Every structure is written in C-alpha cells, then in structure tokens.
Amino acid sequence: MIIEVGWDPFDESLKADPHPIWKRLRDEEPLYRNERHDFWALSRFDDVDAALRDPVTFSSAYGTVLELMTEHVQTGPLMIFLDPPEHTRLRRLVSRAFTPRGVAELEGDVRNLCRALLGDRGDRHGLDVVADYGAVVPAEVIATLLGVPPEDRAEVRRHIDGSFHLEPDVGMANPTAAASWTWLSEYITDQLRSRRARRRDDMLSDLLEAQLVDGDGSVHRLGVDDASVLALLLISAGTETVARLIGWAAFLLARHPDQRAALVADPSMVPGAVEEVLRFESPSPVQARRTTAPVVYYGTTVPAGSKVLLLNGAANRDERRFPDADQFDVCRGTDLHLAFGYGVHFCLGAALARLEGRVAVEELLARYPEYDVDPEGAVLLSTSTVRGYERLPLLV
Ligand code: HEM
C-alpha cells in the first residue's frame, strides 16, 4: 500500500523532527502539493538551489513567510521582501554600512561578551546555553554594532526579547511582541535623528550616510524612516537565527562527545563544525516565494502566481548532494550548503553569524570541555521562520 506523503508546516507533531518527512518528500514527491494550505514545495538540493538563484521566476515581493504572503507586491524598504532592481539598490546601500571589515573588528568584543556570560555563573549553577548565552550574544552584538549606547543596551535587549514573544495559536501576532516592536522602532528612529544632528562612529550613522549613485547620476540615500526599518530588519534577522545556531551547536556536540573532544583538542576545527551544524540543523529551514511564470517540475506545471516553499533545511540533508547526509560530521568539510539561502537574498549577516557561532562554540568548549544537556528542561521552538532550542539547560 502506498501511503501518501503529507507535510503540514503547521503540524506540531512534525516540528520536533521534520527530517523523516522531508526525506520522503525528496524521494517520493520532489514537487509536493499541499491543497489545504495552497502551496507547492521543493526539497531536493538542486531544485532549491536553482530556485533561490532565480528571483525573476521566484519572487520575494509577495512575502517570504507562507501565512504572511500577500496578493499584491509589497513596497517599502524591507529588502528581504523586494525583488531586483529595488532590492539591489537597498542591499547595496545597507552593505555600505555593514561591511566585512566592520564585522571582523567585532571578534574581540564578541569573545569578551561570551567569556563574561559564561564566567558570571558558578560551575554548577545550570547554565541555559540558549536563554543565558546563545540568545544574549547576538542581541548584544547587534545593539553594539548599531551603536546603541551602553546605558540603553539592557532595555533594548529586553525589547528585542519581547519582540520575539510567542503565544499559543497567534504566534508572534500578540500584544507583547507588538509593543516591543513599536518601542524598538521609536527608539531606533530617535537614535537615527540624533545621528543626523551629530554623527557617531557606528552603523546607524553609516546607514544614514551611505549613498549610491545610479548610472544616470542620481544619488540615493536612506531617510530616517527607511534606515529605521532596515536597522529593525538586521535586529530581527540576526538575533533569533544566531540563537538557534548556538543552541543546535551545543545540542549536537553533546550528542557527539567524540567529535566534541576533537574540537576541544583542536579548536581550528570549530569553523568547519559550525558549517556542519548549519547544514545539519538549518536554523531558518523554509523560504517562501511566489512564481511569476509557469514552471515545470517532474512533469507537473506549477502555475504562475503559486506559493512555493523552498525547503533549504531539507535540501541540506539531500543524499544526492551530501554523502551520508543524515550523519553529523564536523570533518565533512563543506560550506556549500543552503542554510543562508543563495542568490540575491543570500544572508547579508552570514559573516557575522559565522563569527558569533565560531566564537560562542570556542568559548563554550574552553569553559566546559565536557557537558551534557538536560532533556527535561529542553524546549524546542519552531516558528514559521526559525527552528531550534529556546531553552537548553547544560549539565556540567
Ligand atoms: C545562523 C544565523 C543566520 C541564518 C541561518 C540566516 C539565514 C538567512 C536566510 C536563509 C536568508 C535568506 C532569506 C531568503 O532567501 O528569503 C537570510 C537573509 C538575510 N539575513 Fe540572515 N541568517 C542568519 C544570521 C543573520 C544575521 C546575524 C544578520 C544581520 C545582523 C542577518 C541578516 C539578514 C538579512 C538583512 C537578510 C536579507 C538579505 C536580502 O534580502 O538581501 N542574518 N538569512
């Protein structure tokens, strides 16, 4: 008897471990149709990779989260929801402020922060490696990078946390999250206004000063409102995802103590281990798109105007691409995975995420070369944008 493959992205029972069903999709229904929620899904590496590189056919401009997609093209400065050429212009402007050099210069600060967070607690006072560490690092780092003054950082971080608050049935659409977003938006707008009056050496100032000259000589700059939306995008895209990465790293290394021991003995292997964590448990495993023209997969036509989910988390486990894809192997030696997406929307913060992930793992292992995780206290979170641990107490 053939049992039809059914994948429902909202099914709680599949969230803990979607990999078996994603494997069935890859093997049995590489083009999957879900009538109930009206979407198609691609799960094989080559298909997801090609679709991510084709923003003309696979548009981001109707939204990239299934339940938040719109019938009409979105406007505004949220570049993740724009197609070229509007996307290209904004991305260039933000990239002027968010440079690889600026990111590399943060390493010392990130390390000091990690050490302080790990050092604050006595050895046996159960550290929650996500709530007390993995989630704190990116929120603090992005606040520092943007130029939030030290005296405001605790409050900003409290609202960053609040902005991700979830409630049953309504998810992120709840009053606590909305109030924190409003607070952050007003705060960042105020900070930008003060930079207009007097620049500082920080990313908020750089965002306002970045300029782009088009072929016809016209000059583009960001106004305070657009710069504020983009700063909020960096906060939202760069906090939850990195928290999940650090949580997955701590979890997977606890499950593979031999591989962890190899990293402790030779920390130069940590960057490769971070790539393997990203491949094996991709923190942001699903990206939605809308087709602008009919496309044919495996003999079936996906009409123009369809919602298509690109399962980059499933593609990263595709045996056609990665031998023994279901084996976690810190020595695998690949960075060609799709955890950061691909093509024009390739994660703008990838270098920062890699830096934070590497330093957080190095410092965790330096402090706790051997630990276990407490399954009783572990809480897995799976929203429409991220999947990973929200709470993960260490046993040391
Ligand atoms: C492990 C951590 C991270 C993961 C797994 C991740 C994943 C992703 C993915 C999959 C995309 C592509 C979305 C799409 O194709 O629709 C993306 C885009 C983006 N990410 Fe990240 N991200 C991470 C960290 C960060 C950080 C630290 C920042 C910045 C502080 C950041 C900022 C962005 C921005 C601005 C975009 C939109 C780029 C564009 O539309 O051109 N991300 N990220």
Side-chain angles (χ1 to χ4, degrees), residues 41-370:
L42 294 170
S43 49
R44 289 189 181 169
F45 186 96
D46 286 349
D47 293 335
V48 174
D49 181 40
L52 285 169
R53 290 168 193 259
D54 179 3
V56 174
T57 313
F58 291 91
S59 168
S60 293
Y62 301 82
T64 61
V65 177
L66 179 62
E67 65 274 31
L68 303 179
M69 289 177 90
T70 51
E71 279 303 307
H72 302 285
V73 169
Q74 306 197 7
T75 51
L78 260 185
M79 69 172 137
I80 201 161
F81 298 152
L82 294 179
D83 292 335
E86 290 79 10
H87 168 267
T88 319
R89 184 175 298 140
L90 275 171
R91 176 142 177 151
R92 283 205 194 126
L93 272 170
V94 178
S95 305
R96 298 257 192 285
F98 195 35
T99 61
R101 206 170 128 227
V103 168
E105 280 170 3
L106 283 173
E107 174 155 353
D109 289 347
V110 177
R111 196 172 298 283
N112 290 339
L113 172 63
C114 290
R115 285 185 184 161
L117 291 169
L118 294 169
D120 273 354
R121 34 201 68 246
D123 256 355
R124 309 233 156 249
H125 295 122
L127 172 87
D128 186 314
V129 75
V130 178
D132 303 329
Y133 187 58
V136 184
V137 171
E140 198 68 32
V141 168
I142 196 73
T144 309
L145 190 66
L146 288 169
V148 172
E151 62 276 17
D152 294 349
R153 285 201 199 131
E155 174 128 46
V156 167
R157 214 177 68 67
R158 201 168 60 71
H159 285 289
I160 292 178
D161 281 355
S163 68
F164 294 116
H165 177 77
L166 295 174
E167 278 179 17
D169 299 329
V170 290
M172 271 167 77
N174 64 73
T176 308
S180 283
W181 280 119
T182 306
W183 187 94
L184 283 169
S185 166
E186 285 169 1
Y187 177 84
I188 296 286
T189 305
D190 274 0
Q191 290 285 316
L192 284 161
R193 287 212 179 96
S194 77
R195 303 300 190 283
R196 267 261 188 272
R198 189 154 165 229
R199 93 167 306 278
R200 292 193 203 158
D201 186 16
D202 59 30
M203 202 171 141
L204 289 178
S205 303
D206 293 346
L207 272 175
L208 289 174
E209 281 176 7
Q211 63 174 46
L212 203 67
V213 184
D214 269 357
D216 62 2
S218 54
V219 177
H220 298 274
R221 276 192 171 183
L222 293 170
V224 165
D225 290 344
D226 286 359
S228 172
V229 170
L230 288 164
L232 285 178
L233 171 65
L234 294 175
I235 290 175
S236 68
T239 307
E240 274 232 295
T241 44
V242 175
R244 304 305 142 229
L245 167 64
I246 296 172
W248 279 123
F251 175 83
L252 289 166
L253 293 175
R255 287 285 166 274
H256 298 87
D258 49 335
Q259 300 194 41
R260 181 179 59 196
L263 300 186
V264 171
D266 180 3
S268 73
M269 292 168 66
V270 171
V274 169
E275 296 309 313
E276 179 65 349
V277 172
L278 285 161
R279 181 195 74 81
F280 196 78
E281 290 292 9
S282 305
S284 171
V286 179
Q287 320 301 323
R289 297 289 191 263
R290 185 171 147 140
T291 52
T292 58
V295 261
V296 180
Y297 285 97
Y298 308 99
T300 301
T301 302
V302 176
S306 301
K307 297 171 196 166
V308 181
L309 298 188
L310 305 178
L311 308 187
N312 51 321
N316 281 338
R317 294 277 195 114
D318 189 347
E319 304 73 8
R320 293 156 196 81
R321 176 78 187 196
F322 303 102
D324 295 324
D326 283 333
Q327 296 300 316
F328 177 73
D329 177 4
V330 296
C331 297
R332 185 178 289 273
T334 178
D335 58 357
L336 254 183
H337 54 67
L338 301 177
F340 290 122
Y342 224 92
V344 296
H345 291 281
F346 180 78
C347 177
L348 189 67
L352 178 58
R354 286 179 160 131
L355 173 79
E356 291 177 309
R358 171 172 62 77
V359 174
V361 170
E362 284 167 1
E363 292 304 319
L364 179 71
L365 295 185
R367 175 71 203 249
Y368 300 115
E370 289 181 3

